[in-house]
Amino acid sequence: MEEDVLGGIDKDRGHSRAIQIIPDEFFWDCTDELAPFGSDEGDTALSEYRDWRKENPDEPLEECLIWTIESVGEIDASEYSDVIFHEPTVREQIENPDFDDQQLIYTTDVSVIATTFGQLADEGRIDFSAKPYAARAPKRQAVWAKLQPDWAHADEYIGKLSRLQAALAEA
């Protein structure tokens, strides 16, 4: 789909298989801050993914994710492994005053989620090689959300992340 035509996320223009896999209204809501494309970070990542896809129509999504993780998360993509969502690791990062968890956890993971699920929304699939990244991001986000003191929206956010994980299994 052309981003110029589509703009942000739009269920009316979503791929039929994506709508079948995840018909949930939150997924297609560009105003829900707890949804993949509703935050500024998610909307930006969707736009960046679509720009990348225009320039790289035959490249695997993993290439875009590596660029995203390394530029947004400021780490080598090989470090974006299962260790990132272990609660002690996330807790230590949050408690470290020199670690910007808002950027290096939240923005990175939201960007990975919006990129991978952007492919689902537009193409009706998520590349097999991209699925490990797509699985890790919501897991770490759930841990991160749980560790946010007094965040009133944590349970709702974790519920939406869980729904994304279920959809990933079908994508």
Side-chain angles (χ1 to χ4, degrees):
M1 293 186 178
E2 292 294 321
E3 204 241 330
D4 296 338
V5 174
L6 187 55
I9 195 69
D10 184 350
K11 189 174 186 179
D12 292 337
R13 294 189 183 110
H15 193 282
S16 61
R17 185 162 184 270
I19 295 168
Q20 178 185 8
I21 291 171
I22 190 158
D24 310 59
E25 290 303 317
F26 83 88
F27 181 82
W28 303 96
D29 188 345
C30 65
T31 63
D32 183 346
E33 289 281 333
L34 304 177
F37 315 107
S39 66
D40 289 342
E41 296 85 354
D43 183 62
T44 297
L46 177 61
S47 178
E48 292 288 329
Y49 158 70
R50 288 177 171 161
D51 288 345
W52 176 85
R53 178 52 88 201
K54 282 182 203 175
E55 295 174 18
N56 302 279
D58 300 321
E59 293 296 318
L61 182 62
E62 183 177 19
E63 296 301 318
C64 183
L65 289 171
I66 289 170
W67 173 80
T68 299
I69 291 164
E70 291 180 351
S71 62
V72 178
E74 301 176 11
I75 61 170
D76 189 88
S78 65
E79 296 178 58
Y80 202 80
S81 66
D82 288 352
V83 73
I84 68 164
F85 57 82
H86 293 159
E87 187 170 328
T89 301
V90 176
R91 181 184 311 279
E92 182 181 310
Q93 291 170 331
I94 291 170
E95 292 174 354
N96 180 346
D98 296 325
F99 185 86
D100 184 357
D101 64 290
Q102 186 68 36
Q103 173 70 29
L104 302 176
I105 294 177
Y106 176 78
T107 301
T108 301
D109 293 343
V110 168
S111 297
V112 169
I113 291 167
T115 299
T116 54
F117 283 91
Q119 183 183 38
L120 177 63
D122 290 354
E123 300 176 17
R125 65 186 179 86
I126 297 175
D127 290 352
F128 183 78
S129 65
K131 286 187 175 187
Y133 302 98
R136 290 177 187 122
K139 287 178 183 177
R140 181 164 69 166
Q141 278 300 284
V143 171
W144 179 83
K146 185 176 96 173
L147 295 174
Q148 297 306 304
D150 304 317
W151 189 31
H153 303 290
D155 289 340
E156 180 183 356
Y157 187 51
I158 292 168
K160 290 176 179 180
L161 293 166
S162 178
R163 180 64 187 100
L164 293 177
Q165 289 174 312
L168 179 61
E170 293 182 57

